[in-house]
Amino acid sequence: MGAAPYGHRPRLLSLRTTFAVSFATITAVVTVLVGGLSYNAAARLVRVDQESVFEGAVQDLRAEVRRQRLTPDDFTSSAPGHDIVRPARTDVQILGPGGAVLDPARPRLPVTDADRRTAGADPAGRVVQHDDVGVGRDVFRVGTVSLGGGRGAVQVAQEFSDTEDLLRALQQRTLLLMAAVVLAAGLFGWWLARRITRRLVVLTSAAEKVARTRRLGVQVPVTGPDEVGRLGRAFDLMLGRLAQSEEDQRRLVQDAGHELRTPLTSLRTNISLLRRIDELPPGAREELVADLGQEARELTDLVNELVELAAGQAEGEPAQPVDLARIARDVAALARRRTGREIGVRACGETTADGRPALLTRAISNLVENAAKFDPGGTGPIEVAVAGPAVRGTVRVEVLDRGPGIGDADLNRVFDRFYRTADARSRPGSGLGLSIVREVALAHGGAPFARRRDGGGSVIGFTLGAVPADDETEPTGDDGPGYGHEGGDAGRA
């Protein structure tokens, strides 16, 4: 059989019910243990106390008849001093010679053969004891003490059925009290579980709503300083990040679709011309083939950059200590071979920081390629400057060129995806290079910046680490504050 469809799975006990049942169960176990032990201890104390009273009365009577010569008349209810052998919670029955009852107890006690023999015994203080003498519905403990000389005996009786009745009443009350405690514990546990899980229920409802509607813009009204509050804030933050990621992907798809239409349309046009290539003059054929190759390269570059953006900027690459000055020198050497331009690198301070080498290499390469692309015929060198933590506590990388510069209206948009200035639209490129620089900077806790360079050209770069609020407007000048020169006079490749 297959798995039950969503929404039709067997309903398990809720956390609230589990918590309440567990609380009641633990309370019941503790209550039963404490109540049972308390009852047993109390019953044992009562029984021991009653038995000690009975034993004391028998022993006092035995000592009395041994000490002096007594007759049954001395123990009748009318005789003075008879209360000596009638302690609390006991009764007395007087037996004459041969075991005849002279003064019955209330109720009258049965007389056994052993009692008759004791009444006719010659020595005084002889004792015979019965522990379970039934009289009607009552049970007695009876001790028979001989008076000696065959004069008779005295029976001391103690009813312990009333003690057992008392203990049974105590037991019933204990059970009722335990049941009340367990019931109260269950109700309190349910209330406490409801109070504790109320915010979890809200959080669960929000998660189920997200799963049902697939809408990430759901507010999670869970607050508090405890673990549930932290979970609610983390869940709310997670939904916000997912919503932002979904929006970024949606914009990326829309922008990519828009940007891909132009090269694809041009390709379709040129491909349609290939069907009549035999009709074209040789010069037009070469131009058509060259256009196809250029468009294929631009489309390949655009797709590669889109894939890089969609892949989340290689977030799986582990962070490690990276020397940005060394990366800048490697990038400059490669760019010299590609473009034939003079590219200098200068660094100051400690330029090592924690980062992802591939991403940082890509960001610096994009900056250098951007500078070379927009200043193709420039005679001045392209400069890469790296400043260590001495500059406002951050590692700063910037590329300076002497190109046409960036207009004031474009400074705040050059890092947007697919954005290209009016002068750049006639040049090759996808408009994603500086956007990747921004993504890399943000992934490393920094920010990109761009400004116009004094004397013409642009300064574009990024920072790693904490970013001061005025980093994007701070003037640097051609040489930057305190830069030393390192490879600044490198020649052409």
Side-chain angles (χ1 to χ4, degrees):
M1 294 179 62
Y6 180 79
H8 297 281
R9 291 176 296 181
R11 183 175 179 83
L12 302 177
L13 287 177
S14 65
L15 180 61
R16 180 183 304 172
T17 304
T18 302
F19 187 87
V21 171
S22 301
F23 191 86
T25 302
I26 294 174
T27 305
V29 172
V30 174
T31 303
V32 169
L33 288 176
V34 173
L37 293 176
S38 299
Y39 170 77
N40 288 335
R44 186 180 302 110
L45 287 175
V46 170
R47 291 189 178 104
V48 169
D49 179 69
Q50 292 299 307
E51 186 175 354
S52 65
V53 169
F54 175 77
E55 292 293 338
V58 172
Q59 294 302 322
D60 289 343
L61 177 61
R62 184 180 186 187
E64 183 71 15
V65 299
R66 284 182 173 180
R67 187 169 54 250
Q68 56 183 318
R69 178 184 177 86
L70 297 174
T71 66
D73 293 337
D74 295 325
F75 294 96
T76 60
S77 59
S78 59
H82 66 275
D83 56 336
I84 296 176
V85 295
R86 294 175 184 257
R89 304 181 67 82
T90 61
D91 200 357
V92 173
Q93 179 169 278
I94 309 302
L95 301 180
V101 178
L102 300 179
D103 188 2
R106 293 176 180 56
R108 185 186 181 99
L109 300 176
V111 180
T112 66
D113 292 340
D115 296 328
R116 294 186 184 93
R117 287 194 297 271
T118 302
D122 184 61
R126 182 176 178 181
V127 179
V128 61
Q129 185 169 324
H130 311 283
D131 291 331
D132 53 353
V133 177
V135 180
R137 292 186 299 180
D138 298 327
V139 179
F140 289 81
R141 181 185 292 113
V142 179
T144 304
V145 180
S146 65
L147 297 177
R151 295 187 296 274
V154 178
Q155 289 184 305
V156 179
Q158 182 187 61
E159 182 183 356
F160 60 83
S161 59
D162 60 343
T163 302
E164 296 301 320
D165 292 339
L166 175 64
L167 292 178
R168 277 193 295 271
L170 177 62
Q171 185 182 47
Q172 292 175 356
R173 293 184 180 183
T174 302
L175 291 175
L176 289 176
L177 180 60
M178 287 175 8
V181 170
V182 172
L183 179 60
L187 295 176
F188 178 75
W190 179 265
W191 174 83
L192 185 62
R194 181 185 179 89
R195 182 178 179 86
I196 292 175
T197 61
R198 181 170 50 196
R199 290 178 296 163
L200 289 176
V201 171
V202 174
L203 189 60
T204 302
S205 299
E208 290 175 345
K209 184 177 181 180
V210 171
R212 183 175 62 253
T213 63
R214 298 187 179 182
R215 294 171 54 189
L216 299 175
V218 176
Q219 294 294 327
V220 182
V222 175
T223 59
D226 56 2
E227 289 79 359
V228 178
R230 290 176 55 194
L231 178 62
R233 289 189 293 273
F235 188 74
D236 196 36
L237 179 61
M238 178 190 70
L239 288 180
R241 295 281 178 86
L242 289 175
Q244 181 62 43
S245 177
E246 185 181 49
E247 176 63 20
D248 290 343
Q249 290 182 4
R250 185 186 63 80
R251 288 194 298 106
L252 177 62
V253 171
Q254 290 177 348
D255 294 342
H258 175 74
E259 292 297 323
L260 286 171
R261 288 190 188 98
T262 300
L264 289 175
T265 301
S266 179
L267 278 174
R268 283 198 301 269
T269 302
N270 287 333
I271 289 173
S272 65
L273 290 176
L274 284 176
R275 298 175 180 174
R276 298 186 294 111
I277 192 171
D278 294 336
E279 302 174 9
L280 300 177
R285 295 177 186 176
E286 295 178 0
E287 184 178 354
L288 176 61
V289 173
D291 286 346
L292 284 172
Q294 178 64 28
E295 290 162 357
R297 285 190 295 273
E298 290 184 4
L299 186 59
T300 300
D301 292 340
L302 176 59
V303 170
N304 289 337
E305 291 178 334
L306 286 173
V307 170
E308 187 174 350
L309 282 174
Q313 294 292 332
E315 291 183 356
E317 183 184 14
Q320 55 184 289
V322 179
D323 187 354
L324 293 174
R326 183 184 61 79
I327 291 179
R329 287 191 291 269
D330 294 341
V331 169
L334 181 60
R336 291 188 199 107
R337 293 193 294 270
R338 288 179 177 175
T339 64
R341 294 290 302 276
E342 181 182 353
I343 302 174
V345 178
R346 55 193 181 186
C348 74
E350 177 57 54
T351 60
T352 299
D354 289 335
R356 301 183 177 98
L359 288 182
L360 295 172
T361 301
R362 177 64 168 165
I364 297 176
S365 298
N366 285 1
L367 291 175
V368 174
E369 291 173 2
N370 185 76
K373 179 172 61 178
F374 289 102
D375 186 19
T379 57
I382 296 173
E383 302 173 13
V384 181
V386 183
V391 180
R392 291 183 175 267
T394 64
V395 179
R396 184 185 185 98
V397 179
E398 58 186 24
V399 175
L400 304 87
D401 63 59
R402 288 298 183 184
I406 304 174
D408 293 336
D410 298 320
L411 282 175
N412 294 328
R413 300 193 60 191
V414 292
F415 294 101
D416 293 345
R417 290 174 180 172
F418 303 106
Y419 180 77
R420 304 178 71 186
T421 64
D423 295 337
R425 289 169 189 159
S426 60
R427 302 177 184 273
S430 63
L432 289 174
L434 294 184
S435 176
I436 293 176
V437 172
R438 181 190 63 183
E439 298 292 336
V440 172
L442 294 177
H444 288 79
F449 60 86
R451 62 176 174 274
R452 300 172 67 179
R453 187 182 183 187
D454 295 339
S458 303
V459 179
I460 304 178
F462 62 92
T463 57
L464 272 67
V467 183
D470 58 347
D471 250 359
E472 297 188 7
T473 59
E474 178 189 0
T476 303
D478 289 353
D479 295 334
Y483 283 127
H485 289 271
E486 189 174 322
D489 55 352
R492 301 176 184 275

